[in-house]
């Protein structure tokens, strides 16, 4: 197993990311460090990065270098914002960093940045057609894709900070209106971004959208602490926009959940988003947790993503978690295969549509994750782990349902108050589905309790008030059948049928 470090130098902070890379060329970020740094302080007067700032940056990077050496990193990637190219002393600045820290920075173009973000988004969402919007400090990037092919890209020369500075002589309410009108004028020629078919979805990437999502979730007391794939309606956005545009944001202001640096430019940033939402014929958008760093890691560790996206991002995501966290060897894939056999065999009884397959898949692959912590009611632990895991290719609703499927393998764990917490994400029909899927998963786990993989297939006969499961095996399975029969009572409650296993 190798380790990669990525250092990102932008105008407001310096970020360090550590990631493990395994032999199967997957990665998992295990640590992040972010240090605020006003790189362009007093920059506009002479277009020179001040010597005091250079010393501060070099000091931080020197510490980062020692941290990298201590972690035994096998590869270090250093990238810097394109804004540095405007500095007259950019070469001297980068040379001084290299001479002291031996860290060589690559200045990213805006085109490279949005392509990395596209790589991260397309490999972490189940959205075949989309419009990606990334609002930076000094630029705004828009990318349209269809079926994993990039159709159009536009780099706009304004961002949250630059427009804050442009209209800094206005009051707060005047600023937001001025920015919105300015952006509407600048983007009125982007017909390809606005006249979208119904199948296209909007995806917001970058820190501005993450801050927007954080404020929205806090305001509505959203039950799930999950940034990735958080879906906001136009109504959700307008509520945040109205509150933020009405605040008297001064130099020392701070909004809960948002850094002080981001707070100052937040009204202008949200006004940029407002202009896009006004122009696009959509009433909702999703927020991406993945971005530049994840795109770089994907292209570095999985070179295939330079040519085409991962075909099954949900499967990839689950395999990464399985690879790094579960005891080896484990039988997660075999449990999923048995669960799917039962799902298909019992379809005439449960009548659940294909969307629940993703729910069952997540619950199956994460079925043993609670044992990482304790063997005392691991189903409860797995419930919390699933909710806290960043799993790609599923909605927040599917993530919650997967957690409950895992939890209800032990029927005694069910507490209606736990379910009610997520009432805005789940329905009464979902509760019945979860109970049926939990029984399927319980049987599948018990049929492979030895982890020998002896049960290779199952045939179900539905006869009157009974279901007879006939196991097809490659060896004797007395223990597996004894354990699987323990689910008979739960099966009766969920399916109103007696269960017999042979």
């Amino acid at each position: 197993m190798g380790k990669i470090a990525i250092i990102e130098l932008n105008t407001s902070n310096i970020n360090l990311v550590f990631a493990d890379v395994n032999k199967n060329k997957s990665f998992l970020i295990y640590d992040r460090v972010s240090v605020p740094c006003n790189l362009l302080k007093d920059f506009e007067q002479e277009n020179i990065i001040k010597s005091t700032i250079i010393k501060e940056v070099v000091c931080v990077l020197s510490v980062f270098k020692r941290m990298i050496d201590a972690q035994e990193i096998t590869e270090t990637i250093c990238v810097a914002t394109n804004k540095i190219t405007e500095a007259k002393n950019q070469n001297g600045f980068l040379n001084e960093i290299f001479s002291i820290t031996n860290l060589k920075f690559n200045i990213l173009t805006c085109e490279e940045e949005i392509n990395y973000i596209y790589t991260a988004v397309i490999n972490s969402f189940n959205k075949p057609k989309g419009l990606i919007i990334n609002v930076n400090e000094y630029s705004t990037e828009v990318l349209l894709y269809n079926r994993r092919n990039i159709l159009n890209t536009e780099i706009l020369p304004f961002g949250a900070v630059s427009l804050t500075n442009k209209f800094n002589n206005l009051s707060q309410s005047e600023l937001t209106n001025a920015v919105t009108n300015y952006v509407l004028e600048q983007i009125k020629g982007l017909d390809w971004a606005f006249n979208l078919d119904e199948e296209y979805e909007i995806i917001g990437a970058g820190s501005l959208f993450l801050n927007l999502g954080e404020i929205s979730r806090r305001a509505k007391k959203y039950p799930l602490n999950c940034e990735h794939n958080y879906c906001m309606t136009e109504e959700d956005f307008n509520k945040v926009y109205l509150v933020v545009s009405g605040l008297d944001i001064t130099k020392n202001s701070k909004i809960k959940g948002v850094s002080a640096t981001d707070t100052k430019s937040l009204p202008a940033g949200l006004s940029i988003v407002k202009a896009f939402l006004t122009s696009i014929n959509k009433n909702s958008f999703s927020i991406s947790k993945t971005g530049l760093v994840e795109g770089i890691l994907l292209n570095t560790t999985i070179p295939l993503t330079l040519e085409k996206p991962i075909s099954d991002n949900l499967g990839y995501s689950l395999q990464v978690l399985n690879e790094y966290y579960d005891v080896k060897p484990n039988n997660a894939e075999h449990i999923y295969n048995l669960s799917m056999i039962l799902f298909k065999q019992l379809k005439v009884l449960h009548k659940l549509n294909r969307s629940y397959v993703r729910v069952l898949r997540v619950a199956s692959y994460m079925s043993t994750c609670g044992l990482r912590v304790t063997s005392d009611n691991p189903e409860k632990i797995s419930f919390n782990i699933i909710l806290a895991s960043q799993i790609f290719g599923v909605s927040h609703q599917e993530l919650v349902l997967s957690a409950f499927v895992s939890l209800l393998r032990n029927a005694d764990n069910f507490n209606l108050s736990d379910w009610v917490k997520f009432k805005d994400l789940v329905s009464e029909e979902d509760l019945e589905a979860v109970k049926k899927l939990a029984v399927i998963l319980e049987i599948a786990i018990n049929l492979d309790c030895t982890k020998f993989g002896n049960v290779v297939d199952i045939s179900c006969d539905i006869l009157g008030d009974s279901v007879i499961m006939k196991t097809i095996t490659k060896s004797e399975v007395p223990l597996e059948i004894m354990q699987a029969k323990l689910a008979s009572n739960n099966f009766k409650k969920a399916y109103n049928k007696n269960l017999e296993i042979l």
Side-chain angles (χ1 to χ4, degrees):
M1 182 181 292
K3 293 183 177 182
I4 291 180
I6 295 181
I7 299 177
E8 179 191 3
L9 174 61
N10 58 45
T11 57
S12 60
N13 48 50
I14 311 172
N15 302 316
L16 172 62
V17 172
F18 290 116
D20 279 326
V21 181
N22 75 2
K23 60 183 179 182
N24 295 324
K25 295 301 180 182
S26 62
F27 71 87
L28 189 75
I29 294 173
Y30 66 88
D31 198 9
R32 292 178 186 263
V33 180
S34 183
V35 179
C37 180
N38 188 358
L39 187 65
L40 302 184
K41 184 178 181 181
D42 300 326
F43 179 78
E44 300 297 336
Q45 299 173 6
E46 302 174 312
N47 279 22
I48 292 176
I49 301 173
K50 303 303 178 185
S51 58
T52 54
I53 300 299
I54 294 175
K55 289 179 181 178
E56 183 180 330
V57 171
V58 169
C59 177
V60 172
L61 292 176
S62 297
V63 177
F64 280 3
K65 184 63 167 61
R66 293 200 298 272
M67 293 172 66
I68 289 169
D69 292 341
Q71 293 274 353
E72 299 181 349
I73 298 297
T74 53
E75 183 176 1
T76 301
I77 300 170
C78 303
V79 295
T81 174
N82 183 256
K83 188 69 176 176
I84 288 178
T85 60
E86 297 180 16
K88 294 177 182 178
N89 60 338
Q90 63 164 303
N91 290 331
F93 172 54
L94 296 177
N95 287 338
E96 183 168 348
I97 289 175
F98 180 73
S99 65
I100 296 175
T101 66
N102 203 34
L103 296 172
K104 187 172 184 179
F105 278 82
N106 173 38
I107 299 177
L108 295 178
T109 65
C110 293
E111 289 78 8
E112 287 174 323
E113 181 173 5
I114 189 60
N115 284 331
Y116 279 130
I117 291 171
Y118 164 75
T119 297
V121 167
I122 198 66
N123 286 295
S124 61
F125 279 93
N126 184 24
K127 299 184 187 299
K129 299 181 179 182
L131 179 73
I132 301 171
I133 303 172
N134 179 49
V135 180
N136 282 327
E137 295 170 326
Y138 294 92
S139 66
T140 298
E141 303 149 357
V142 188
L143 183 147
L144 183 71
Y145 70 87
N146 181 0
R147 303 294 176 187
R148 300 168 180 269
N149 294 307
I150 297 175
L151 301 181
N152 283 294
T153 304
E154 186 72 23
I155 310 298
L156 301 165
F158 55 79
V161 172
S162 60
L163 291 187
T164 298
N165 295 336
K166 182 180 180 67
F167 297 102
N168 65 356
N169 61 322
L170 302 179
S171 67
Q172 193 68 66
S173 59
E174 290 175 331
L175 180 144
T176 53
N177 288 331
V179 169
T180 301
N181 292 332
Y182 175 82
V183 175
L184 283 170
E185 182 65 24
Q186 299 300 310
I187 66 176
K188 63 182 181 181
L190 297 180
D191 293 339
W192 54 265
F194 303 145
N195 301 317
L196 300 176
D197 295 338
E198 185 178 344
E199 295 177 332
Y200 280 89
E201 299 183 64
I202 310 301
I203 301 163
S207 61
L208 174 71
F209 279 97
L210 290 174
N211 287 332
L212 171 58
E214 178 70 21
I215 297 169
S216 174
R217 290 193 303 277
R218 286 175 180 268
K220 66 194 296 187
K221 293 181 171 57
Y222 193 68
L224 193 61
N225 184 25
C226 184
E227 295 177 294
H228 189 69
N229 207 4
Y230 174 61
C231 184
M232 284 189 70
T233 64
E234 191 173 9
E235 181 183 359
D236 292 333
F237 172 81
N238 287 333
K239 287 179 180 177
V240 175
Y241 179 76
L242 287 172
V243 171
V244 172
S245 61
L247 294 176
D248 181 19
I249 294 178
T250 62
K251 184 176 181 180
N252 297 318
S253 297
K254 188 179 185 306
I255 296 174
K256 195 170 184 178
V258 180
S259 71
T261 302
D262 290 344
T263 295
K264 185 179 178 182
S265 61
L266 188 62
L270 295 186
S271 297
I272 296 174
V273 177
K274 176 73 171 176
F276 274 96
L277 294 181
T278 300
S279 304
I280 301 172
N281 57 331
K282 300 289 178 181
N283 57 13
S284 66
F285 59 91
S286 298
I287 295 175
S288 175
K289 167 69 172 176
T290 60
L292 173 66
V293 168
E294 287 78 8
I296 293 173
L297 283 168
L298 279 163
N299 283 174
T300 303
T301 61
I302 313 173
L304 176 68
T305 57
L306 289 164
E307 301 173 7
K308 60 181 182 179
I310 297 167
S311 59
D312 177 15
N313 52 32
L314 172 56
Y316 169 78
S317 182
L318 292 172
Q319 286 170 5
V320 169
L321 291 171
N322 191 261
E323 177 70 31
Y324 284 100
Y325 289 129
D326 279 352
V327 177
K328 305 297 180 298
N330 67 62
N331 59 338
E333 185 174 359
H334 191 62
I335 289 173
Y336 169 61
N337 291 336
L338 293 178
S339 296
M340 279 305 302
I341 292 170
L342 290 171
F343 183 87
K344 294 173 182 176
Q345 291 277 325
L346 298 174
K347 187 168 179 60
V348 68
L349 294 181
H350 61 65
K351 298 182 176 64
L352 301 177
N353 61 47
R354 288 284 300 176
S355 66
Y356 285 101
V357 169
R358 288 192 294 273
V359 172
L360 186 58
R361 189 178 189 185
V362 173
S364 298
Y365 267 91
M366 303 291 284
S367 60
T368 61
C369 66
L371 293 171
R372 305 168 194 165
V373 179
T374 179
S375 59
D376 183 16
N377 200 350
E379 295 86 2
K380 280 190 175 182
I381 305 299
S382 69
F383 174 81
N384 292 315
I385 291 176
I386 292 172
L387 291 180
S389 295
Q390 184 169 278
I391 299 175
F392 301 144
V394 291
S395 67
H396 285 191
Q397 179 198 33
E398 290 167 334
L399 195 65
V400 170
L401 294 180
S402 300
F404 274 102
V405 170
S406 183
L407 178 71
L408 297 188
R409 285 181 290 140
N410 182 346
D412 292 339
N413 282 331
F414 181 69
N415 187 322
L416 186 59
S417 63
D418 290 335
W419 180 263
V420 171
K421 289 178 185 176
F422 299 93
K423 65 182 186 300
D424 293 335
L425 291 173
V426 297
S427 66
E428 188 175 338
E429 291 76 14
D430 286 329
L431 179 55
E432 294 305 310
V434 161
K435 290 178 179 178
K436 292 174 181 178
L437 293 176
V439 175
I440 287 177
L441 181 56
E442 181 186 1
I443 294 171
I445 291 172
N446 289 346
L447 283 175
D448 198 41
C449 61
T450 60
K451 299 185 180 181
F452 294 155
N454 286 332
V455 177
V456 295
D457 204 351
I458 306 164
S459 176
C460 295
D461 294 326
I462 303 171
L463 305 172
D465 62 353
S466 297
V467 173
I468 301 174
M469 291 184 183
K470 299 175 182 176
T471 57
I472 300 167
T473 69
K474 62 182 182 182
S475 182
E476 295 295 320
V477 290
L479 181 59
E480 288 89 336
I481 290 179
M482 287 173 61
Q483 291 295 104
K485 286 181 178 180
L486 296 176
S488 297
N489 288 337
N490 291 336
F491 188 89
K492 174 72 172 178
K493 292 176 183 177
Y495 292 90
N496 198 29
K497 300 281 185 183
N498 296 315
L499 176 64
E500 193 172 338
I501 303 177
L502 304 176

